[in-house]
Amino acid sequence: MLMTLIQKEMMHHILSARFVALLLMCVLLIPLNLHINYHHYLKRQIDYQEQEILKDEDALEDENDKESAGTKHSFSFTAKGSTDPNFEVSKLILKPTPLSVFATGLESALPSYLGMTRNGITRGEASLSTAPIAFLLGHLDFVFVVSTVFSLLALLFTFDAVAGEREAGTLRITLANALPRDIFLWSKLIGGYLVFILPFLISVIIGLLVLVLQGFPLSESDTFLRILCLIFVSLLYIAVFFAVGAVISIYFDSAKTALIVAFTVWVFVVLILPRVGFLAAQIVAPTSTAESVYREKTARRAELRAGLESERGKMMSEVLSEMMKSNPPQAQGGTAVFTMGPEHYEKMNEKMAPLEEAARVKYRDLAEQLDRRYQRERKHQDTIGINFSRITPTASFIFLATDATQTGQAKKNTYFQTGTRYYETLDTEIFSKMSEDPGDFSHRGEIPPPIPPPPLAELTLGETLQHAALDLLLLCFFAIVLTTVAFLKFFRMDI
């Protein structure tokens, strides 16, 4: 009996005009969307390769300069870096992921590279900042289409599943026969869901074929498994909104009222509440601004440098006094002139070295303390915002989908953690051996070449699912609870 009713429900939807509209929308929207985003990915891939080439050319040029200048007075980029604390000794460049074709996520907002300097880590421009007008209208990708468009279409498919038949009077006639209510409701939900996901799956397959024909690496690594995971999560998310539509259809007698309520619920659940969560987090857990942290670090560094300059001035006065005692002044135009040579600078630098090292370590500790405090505040605020936004299935779906496509929170955390570890390695091997004095010749030619950046470790699919387990459980929870509410209300409903 259930299969017969499901087939009847499916034929009812297939022969309707909304199925044709859904099919055309899916076939046009998803493949075209994937095609356009793949070209954007190729452009980002070319930009990444050019940055890598430029970095290699700079390193080769510095090596040639070092060989031509000689070892004693080498002015390679490591030596220049010893006098310029903001000089980028090396870069950790962000490589775009192929799965960003499906979900842009945070990849467009992450810095294009992390530059390593003695003053800390600098950040390159994000792709979001290079095309601000384009991003003003938002970014259209697969995750956006599913989270926004298909959630609304799912409600439009189900808002009159029960309310429409009740209003037309067919529900009373149907249930007057020996037909259990649960069988009737299951046939409505399953039949409508199968008809709805059929155009969706067809369009996804067409989109994948379009990508493969253009050279998309579908067979590489765990790409195919991640796409399957994304499709499964999308189907689960659509099922949640089918359950929402069923609840609305059961609670209201009029189809028009159910339609208005369904649209209102969609606006709040999809467009408003996920963003309100982060706004509430800013009120509950306010943080310092990045500019205030930078100003505080600059002030601390200026204080330490002023102290060092004062000490250096005292030592220079002592050296000049010793020169006046050991060598009589040579008068030129009535003015005594003393010239400090490299040996005097070397002697003064030997005395200043412990003070400079102590100041450098103190500044580094202060900067790390400020950065850790700022990062703790931001992480606490983000955690609160994420948890607040999870009251809606849309937020859980986006978090889970972007993690599955390697463009979400996990990618951001891995990127910055790798940059921090790389900086700590360079600080130990290179930065601690550099002097800030332009007259210091003792370190030149002795600084080791920069250590190449480590590869950006990506989470495996298993680790990704473990990281996003809460969002997956929440989607399942929403689907089960809403379906249960629909059945309980339908069993108690007076027809």
Side-chain angles (χ1 to χ4, degrees):
M1 181 183 296
L2 177 61
M3 293 302 300
T4 303
L5 291 175
I6 291 175
Q7 292 175 4
K8 176 179 175 295
E9 188 69 20
M10 291 179 64
M11 290 303 300
H12 170 72
H13 284 295
I14 290 175
L15 296 176
S16 65
R18 58 178 140 184
F19 175 76
V20 178
L22 174 65
L23 180 61
L24 291 176
M25 183 179 297
C26 289
V27 172
L28 291 176
L29 185 59
I30 292 181
L32 181 62
N33 177 270
L34 295 178
H35 170 74
I36 294 173
N37 286 333
Y38 184 65
H39 280 277
H40 290 166
Y41 161 73
L42 292 178
K43 183 179 181 302
R44 294 197 304 272
Q45 184 72 9
I46 292 174
D47 293 340
Y48 165 77
Q49 293 172 354
E50 289 178 350
Q51 288 188 59
E52 287 286 352
I53 293 173
L54 289 175
K55 185 178 70 173
D56 294 338
E57 289 178 351
D58 289 341
L60 181 61
E61 180 182 351
D62 290 326
E63 287 297 323
N64 294 334
D65 290 345
K66 183 174 180 179
E67 292 177 1
S68 61
T71 303
K72 184 176 180 180
H73 298 291
S74 170
F75 285 84
S76 67
F77 72 88
T78 51
K80 288 188 289 186
S82 66
T83 61
D84 183 3
N86 294 316
F87 183 82
E88 292 177 348
V89 172
S90 184
K91 293 180 180 180
L92 176 65
I93 302 175
L94 178 65
K95 183 179 180 180
T97 175
L99 289 172
S100 61
V101 172
F102 294 86
T104 304
L106 296 174
E107 190 166 275
S108 61
L110 291 176
S112 57
Y113 69 87
L114 298 177
M116 305 297 152
T117 72
R118 279 185 301 153
N119 274 354
I121 300 177
T122 60
R123 300 185 180 187
E125 280 191 340
S127 59
L128 186 65
S129 62
T130 57
I133 304 301
F135 284 97
L136 184 64
L137 301 176
H139 193 83
L140 186 66
D141 56 19
F142 179 83
V143 172
F144 174 81
V145 170
V146 174
S147 64
T148 305
V149 178
F150 281 91
S151 60
L152 178 60
L153 293 177
L155 290 179
L156 295 179
F157 247 69
T158 55
F159 78 94
D160 60 346
V162 177
E165 293 211 18
R166 181 192 294 182
E167 195 173 22
T170 57
L171 180 62
R172 183 187 298 272
I173 298 173
T174 302
L175 295 181
N177 300 316
L179 177 63
R181 292 194 178 192
D182 59 335
I183 298 295
F184 173 81
L185 189 54
W186 275 124
S187 67
K188 287 286 183 181
L189 291 176
I190 296 175
Y193 182 73
L194 291 177
V195 171
F196 188 87
I197 66 173
L198 181 61
F200 172 74
L201 293 176
I202 291 174
S203 63
V204 170
I205 293 173
I206 295 174
L208 290 177
L209 290 176
V210 170
L211 290 179
V212 171
L213 291 176
Q214 295 180 93
F216 181 78
L218 185 62
S219 60
E220 283 189 8
S221 184
D222 56 352
T223 301
F224 182 70
L225 293 178
R226 288 183 178 273
I227 293 176
L228 287 181
C229 178
L230 177 61
I231 294 173
F232 170 76
V233 172
S234 301
L235 295 177
L236 179 59
Y237 176 72
I238 293 172
V240 171
F241 277 88
F242 256 80
V244 173
V247 171
I248 295 172
S249 182
I250 293 170
Y251 267 85
F252 296 94
D253 299 333
S254 171
K256 292 182 179 179
T257 305
L259 176 60
I260 295 173
V261 173
F263 185 75
T264 304
V265 169
W266 176 83
V267 169
F268 275 91
V269 171
V270 176
L271 301 181
I272 297 179
L273 291 180
R275 293 160 178 81
V276 169
F278 287 93
L279 294 177
Q282 295 177 7
I283 299 174
V284 174
T287 65
S288 306
T289 63
E291 183 64 26
S292 65
V293 174
Y294 174 76
R295 286 198 303 267
E296 189 171 356
K297 288 165 65 174
T298 303
R300 297 293 182 90
R301 183 176 181 83
E303 291 175 2
L304 294 173
R305 290 306 306 159
L308 286 176
E309 291 300 325
S310 177
E311 292 294 329
R312 184 177 294 277
K314 294 178 181 179
M315 290 186 180
M316 187 174 294
S317 299
E318 293 176 0
V319 171
L320 291 175
S321 299
E322 292 177 359
M323 291 174 62
M324 291 179 64
K325 293 179 181 179
S326 59
N327 299 313
Q330 298 177 355
Q332 295 182 0
T335 303
V337 178
F338 296 93
T339 303
M340 293 179 60
E343 65 279 2
H344 298 103
Y345 280 105
E346 185 173 356
K347 182 178 180 181
M348 188 169 58
N349 287 327
E350 288 178 359
K351 296 180 180 180
M352 286 292 300
L355 298 178
E356 287 185 351
E357 178 63 19
R360 190 192 70 83
V361 172
K362 185 176 181 179
Y363 171 75
R364 184 191 63 185
D365 294 341
L366 288 172
E368 289 179 354
Q369 182 180 357
L370 293 173
D371 288 335
R372 283 195 299 267
R373 185 190 68 187
Y374 176 67
Q375 293 300 330
R376 282 196 304 267
E377 292 176 353
R378 287 297 304 272
K379 185 176 181 180
H380 179 59
Q381 186 185 83
D382 289 343
T383 301
I384 294 176
I386 290 171
N387 291 332
F388 279 174
S389 64
R390 278 175 171 149
I391 62 175
T392 67
T394 301
S396 295
F397 167 71
I398 292 175
F399 294 150
L400 181 54
T402 52
D403 278 342
T405 55
Q406 299 174 316
T407 59
Q409 306 170 63
K411 176 66 172 285
K412 173 188 173 184
N413 295 337
T414 303
Y415 183 43
F416 288 120
Q417 288 171 4
T418 303
T420 301
R421 289 195 298 269
Y422 183 39
Y423 175 77
E424 291 173 351
T425 302
L426 291 178
D427 183 61
T428 302
E429 299 296 330
I430 296 179
F431 298 150
S432 61
K433 301 176 182 179
M434 292 181 175
S435 172
E436 297 187 2
D437 179 27
D440 183 7
F441 295 91
S442 60
H443 295 278
R444 298 188 178 183
E446 300 177 6
I447 302 170
I451 302 170
L456 187 62
E458 298 287 356
L459 297 180
T460 63
L461 181 58
E463 293 172 338
T464 300
L465 293 177
Q466 184 177 0
H467 177 267
L470 178 59
D471 297 305
L472 181 59
L473 291 176
L474 283 174
L475 284 179
C476 295
F477 172 79
F478 283 123
I480 294 172
V481 169
L482 290 170
T483 304
T484 303
V485 170
F487 273 91
L488 291 177
K489 176 61 179 177
F490 190 62
F491 288 154
R492 299 175 59 185
M493 185 176 63
D494 184 13
I495 300 176

